[in-house]
Structure formats: C-alpha cells, structure tokens
Amino acid sequence: MSDDYLHLNLFTMDAVEHVSVGSWRYPGDASARYADRDYWTEVARTAERGGFDAVFFADVRGVYDVYAESADPAIERAVQTPSNDPAYVVPAMAEVTDDLGFAVTKSTSYNHPYQLAREFSTLDHTTDGRIAFNVVTSYLESAAANLGLEGRMEHDERYDRADEFMDVVYALWEDSWEDDAVVRDRESGRYTDPEKVHAIEHDGDYFSVPGPHGCEPSPQRSPVIYQAGSSDRGREFAAKHAEGVFVSQPNEQAVVDYMDDLRERAAGYGRDPDALNFFPGIVPIVAPTEELAEAKRASYEEHIDVEGVLTLLSGFTDIDLSELDPDQKLEHVETQAMQGVVNAFTTNDEHEWTVREMAEFAGLGTTSPVVVGTGEQVADELERWYTDLGVDGFNVKEVVRPDDLTAFVDLVVPELRERGLLPDADERESGLTLRERMTGDARLPDDHPARQ
Ligand SMILES: Cc1cc2nc3c(=O)[nH]c(=O)nc-3n(C[C@H](O)[C@H](O)[C@H](O)COP(=O)(O)O)c2cc1C
C-alpha cells in the first residue's frame, strides 16, 4: 500500500437487493431507489466525505433460478434482479466528487475484450483515472442461455478464457499506443503519429484481435485490477493479476492463510507479493451506544428474508437448497459455480454448518463478519484486523442503505481519523488516480503481467 493508512471501499450493487436479502423492506431503507441517479450521487458524496477510496459495484449476468428450479423466488424477492449496469451511473457519481474511485464488475465470460477495453478506457478518461475493473468469470448457468451460448463454460475453463482475455486487454491498454503517439499538431493536421500506434496481433484459443486499440491512453491506461476468486484455479488467477483482492473467508485464520497463500502464488508469477492489497468484506452495524447498536442488529435480523437468502446462496453454490433439510449438515461438493463459497462453509472452517445456520449467518452481508457496536468499538475491530492480521483495508457492506454508510462515516470514520488510520479530510491528497491513491504508483509495476 501507498502509506500507513487503511483503505475503505463501499461494496454495493446497482440493484434492490445485493447481499442482505430482505433489507429493502426495512423502514427508511432506500434500496428501492437504486434506479434513481440522485440515490447514487448522494452515496458518492457520503463515501467521499468518509475518505473512501472507491465505491465497488458488484454485478451479475443471468437470474438466480437454481433455488426450487425457478426464477420466481428471485424475481419476487428482488434477489439481484432487477439490476442495472453499474458502469452507467459512474459518470454521474464522478461528476459530484473529486477523489472517489469506482470499481466496476465485468465478466470475462460474457464480454469481448476488444469491446471491454474500450469501455474501461472511456470510463478512465471520463473519471480522470478513478476506475478499477473487478474481473469476474460469472457463475449462473442462466447467463449463458441469454447470450446465445449452449451452456456455461466449466469452472476452470472460465478462468483459462479469463487469462487470455486479460492478455488482450493488457496489450490494448499498455502496448498499443505509445505515450507520445498523440501529437495534436493543428498546423500539419496531424493528430496522431501512426508510427506510434501499434497492432497487437493477438491470435489465441478464444480471441483473435489484431488491434490497434481504439482509444488513446487514459490516465491509468489499465484500470486498477480487482479479483475475488478463491478456488484453487481462482487463486492462481488472482495471484497473477490482482492489485486488490476481495477476501471472503469464514474466520480469521482462514483470512490469514488465504493472504499467505496468494502472496506465495504471486511470487511464483515473479510479482512482488506486497503488491497484492487485501480487502475483507465487513458489515458494520454502528450506533451511538452499544445497546442501540445491538437493538439495531436485532431488528435487522427480523427483516432477513430467509427464502431470498437461500435463493441467493443456491445461485452462488449451484445447489438447490430448497431440497435440503434445514438441519442437514453441509457437505463439500465440487461446484461449477462459486467454489470459494462452498469451501467457506465446508473445508475452510472447522465448524460443521447446517443449511439453517448458513442461511441465518448469510442474512446480513452473506459471507462477511458483522461488527456491532459504537464507532469506537467498530474502529477497534478494524484496527485489530489491520494491525494484527495485516489486511490493507475493508470492503464495507451496508445492510440498510444508505443509513449504514452514513452511520459508518459519522461514527467510525472520525475514530479512524483520530487514531491516524485514515487521513483527515484536509490532509487527503487531491487529484490522484485511484491507483496512485491505493498503491502510490501511477502505472502498474514492471513485474505485473500487463507490463511484460
Ligand atoms: C466477495 C465476493 C464478491 C464477488 N462479486 C462478484 C460479482 O459482483 N459478480 C460476479 O459475477 N461474481 C462475483 N464474485 C464471484 C467471483 O468473482 C468468482 O467468479 C467466483 O467466486 C468463482 O470463483 P471461485 O470458484 O474461484 O471462487 C464474487 C465473489 C466473492 C467471494
């Protein structure tokens, strides 16, 4: 990381329900305003006020139709459907902020790299270099059918395609246009020097892209790369490509083991292991007193939509949880969807989870720890993870939106600033790209595969 500060992202989705299913019914919750531009500009202003690095947008292709073999529960309960494409609210959010970054999730299985490279270059230009790409391979079978494909690719093959996808976008972003290719010489009428714009001549197993890139270099060239894979193949991918890693493990030891494992794998790719920045998700429930915070948690729990949670988890795991006895113990299976989620509740935790326990645990934020208390107590816990476990920051998940963000900014952020864990608002450097804020460097380091 660039400094001695911890780094905050807001983890959200341009949808009614993201990972705390049922919360849209909570009094005062604004999730149903997700399609309203004002909702997102307010979120952006609050996150910037709280010194957040970025708003991190999850996104999904397809509908959650594994539970009860039907899309109806997901549609009825707004489980990530309806949702909008997050890339299109980013310019509005960038317009009302100066320093906030935006991580946009896009799938390497259902996009074409030539097209995606153009979209991210455009966003990077439009936001003055405040963009990250959360690289996902997608997990729902229903996405493939809607895109005219015969079926979802197998889990590990999706990562093979993703590797080649990244080769193409890196070549377009990093190698196609030299820094001084654009000359803008009005007198000669020469805008660009064609000698300094290069074809990439990619011809691989999945893609054939001659190039050149259609956009001139944007402030960051490659956006900041985020990844969250946690299966064996997913870890290889994250270790090779990620600058930011979204950690989702069931207990503290598993978090430490995961980080150690990824650092070791990154070294195997010739990368500096410290170039990987780890962000566990957390669900802060914060109030002026401990009693109020506990009361808030209790009332949040009353609003958990258990069937909606099971619908979401069935999609994550590819297991129809409607068929299982709620008191049945979960067993490890090799899923074609998110292997990391299955592992989290089986092989990565000593506790033997039942279906019911998993649904109750996942009701608030799905796979992240819930931290309840005063601003001081929540800051204590974040400081402990930052200092003792060595994480670089946190992806903050709201249950009730945007009240949990506002409470975090009003109660926890001042504590973090007081302790020197976040810069004071007037000390925060302005005009940086997201990568500069995160890592201190404008460009991807030379040992990253994009620069090889
Ligand atoms: C915390 C977390 C957040 C994720 N967010 C998304 C997302 O927004 N969209 C998506 O398609 N996949 C998302 N994923 C899925 C991963 O990117 C990955 O594709 C999936 O976990 C399958 O890989 P694995 O089997 O290696 O874990 C997320 C995974 C985790 C653990």
Side-chain angles (χ1 to χ4, degrees):
M1 277 292 179
S2 59
D3 45 42
D4 293 333
Y5 298 121
L6 63 77
H7 294 254
L8 298 171
N9 295 318
L10 174 69
F11 188 52
T12 189
M13 187 168 182
D14 194 351
V16 184
E17 289 292 17
H18 177 205
V19 285
S20 298
V21 186
S23 55
W24 75 275
R25 295 180 302 165
Y26 195 85
D29 183 272
S31 299
R33 284 180 53 215
Y34 78 98
D36 175 351
R37 191 178 66 247
D38 288 350
Y39 171 77
W40 291 109
T41 51
E42 280 165 37
V43 166
R45 286 192 178 100
T46 309
E48 175 142 285
R49 179 164 68 81
F52 278 62
D53 278 12
V55 172
F56 188 118
F57 278 108
D59 195 22
V60 76
R61 283 284 73 74
V63 66
Y64 285 77
D65 58 1
V66 177
Y67 184 80
E69 294 181 37
S70 165
D72 289 353
I75 291 169
E76 184 174 24
R77 289 156 196 284
V79 179
Q80 302 194 351
T81 298
S83 73
N84 284 338
D85 187 326
Y88 296 98
V89 290
V90 164
M93 297 169 82
E95 188 61 24
V96 298
T97 52
D98 294 321
D99 298 322
L100 187 67
F102 307 94
V104 176
T105 296
K106 289 279 170 188
S107 169
T108 52
S109 300
Y110 303 125
N111 284 290
H112 192 283
Y114 179 71
Q115 181 62 20
L116 180 134
R118 186 162 199 267
E119 288 164 10
F120 272 92
S121 292
T122 305
L123 281 171
D124 203 49
H125 277 298
T126 312
T127 61
D128 303 317
R130 292 190 268 151
I131 285 295
F133 170 20
N134 178 36
V135 185
V136 298
T137 50
S138 298
Y139 44 88
L140 293 173
E141 179 79 53
S142 56
N146 280 301
L147 292 161
L149 304 170
E150 270 177 26
R152 178 182 54 184
M153 265 183 286
E154 295 219 337
H155 178 275
D156 286 8
E157 198 197 345
R158 295 201 295 273
Y159 278 112
D160 295 342
R161 178 183 154 114
D163 265 325
E164 191 184 323
F165 190 106
M166 298 310 288
D167 288 344
V168 177
V169 291
Y170 291 150
L172 292 167
W173 287 325
E174 299 289 334
D175 304 332
S176 187
W177 289 59
E178 293 183 32
D179 284 338
D180 55 356
V182 175
V183 287
R184 292 191 194 94
D185 184 353
R186 282 176 194 272
E187 232 159 81
S188 66
R190 194 173 213 230
Y191 193 88
T192 305
D193 178 352
E195 301 255 307
K196 295 185 173 171
V197 178
H198 309 290
I200 65 162
E201 304 294 3
H202 179 90
D203 191 12
D205 293 336
Y206 299 96
F207 309 108
S208 169
V209 181
H213 190 26
C215 303
E216 65 180 90
S218 65
Q220 301 186 108
R221 284 185 174 257
S222 296
V224 173
I225 306 294
Y226 261 91
Q227 228 283 320
S230 55
S231 62
D232 187 54
R233 184 66 184 88
R235 288 175 187 222
E236 281 299 313
F237 185 85
K240 184 171 168 192
H241 300 280
E243 300 177 84
V245 181
F246 192 163
V247 186
S248 186
Q249 295 295 326
N251 57 57
E252 291 177 22
Q253 190 54 50
V255 170
V256 172
D257 293 347
Y258 176 81
M259 296 193 300
D260 286 347
D261 181 44
L262 251 69
R263 288 193 190 104
E264 205 180 309
R265 291 180 196 241
Y269 286 103
R271 296 183 66 195
D272 174 4
D274 290 334
L276 270 64
N277 301 297
F278 294 96
F279 297 85
I282 55 145
V283 186
I285 301 179
V286 54
T289 66
E290 198 177 337
E291 294 71 33
L292 285 172
E294 283 297 348
K296 211 192 239 192
R297 184 228 293 257
S299 81
Y300 284 5
E301 282 173 351
E302 282 169 22
H303 284 78
I304 294 173
D305 178 342
V306 174
E307 194 178 2
V309 176
L310 291 172
T311 302
L312 184 68
L313 290 172
S314 296
F316 281 178
T317 57
D318 227 1
I319 301 167
D320 180 359
L321 296 168
S322 74
E323 288 187 343
L324 304 186
D325 171 356
D327 294 314
Q328 185 173 332
K329 294 243 188 299
L330 292 165
E331 281 171 29
H332 183 259
V333 287
E334 277 296 317
T335 171
Q336 287 300 317
M338 286 200 210
Q339 290 180 1
V341 173
V342 178
N343 297 346
F345 290 104
T346 55
T347 48
N348 291 3
D349 203 14
E350 283 173 6
H351 178 71
E352 293 190 348
W353 291 78
T354 64
V355 175
R356 189 194 309 277
E357 282 173 339
M358 176 174 72
E360 283 167 1
F361 174 80
L364 304 181
T366 312
T367 50
S368 301
V370 178
V371 185
V372 186
T374 61
E376 198 183 340
Q377 289 169 320
V378 173
D380 283 346
E381 192 63 1
L382 300 194
E383 183 170 6
R384 193 175 66 74
W385 277 56
Y386 177 67
T387 312
D388 296 355
L389 269 58
V391 306
D392 297 286
F394 298 91
N395 269 352
V396 175
K397 296 179 176 181
E398 302 153 285
V399 177
V400 170
R401 304 194 298 178
D403 290 4
D404 285 336
L405 170 65
T406 311
F408 185 89
V409 168
D410 289 339
L411 300 173
V412 183
V413 166
E415 274 292 329
L416 296 174
R417 287 185 166 143
E418 184 76 28
R419 299 176 191 196
L421 293 169
L422 270 188
D424 284 332
D426 54 1
E427 281 172 14
R428 196 175 193 234
E429 211 177 327
S430 211
L432 302 181
T433 62
L434 179 58
R435 177 172 293 108
E436 285 170 325
R437 188 170 304 289
M438 257 181 77
T439 72
D441 294 320
R443 301 284 309 276
L444 275 163
D446 289 341
D447 63 12
H448 189 278
R451 304 292 302 279
Q452 306 287 301

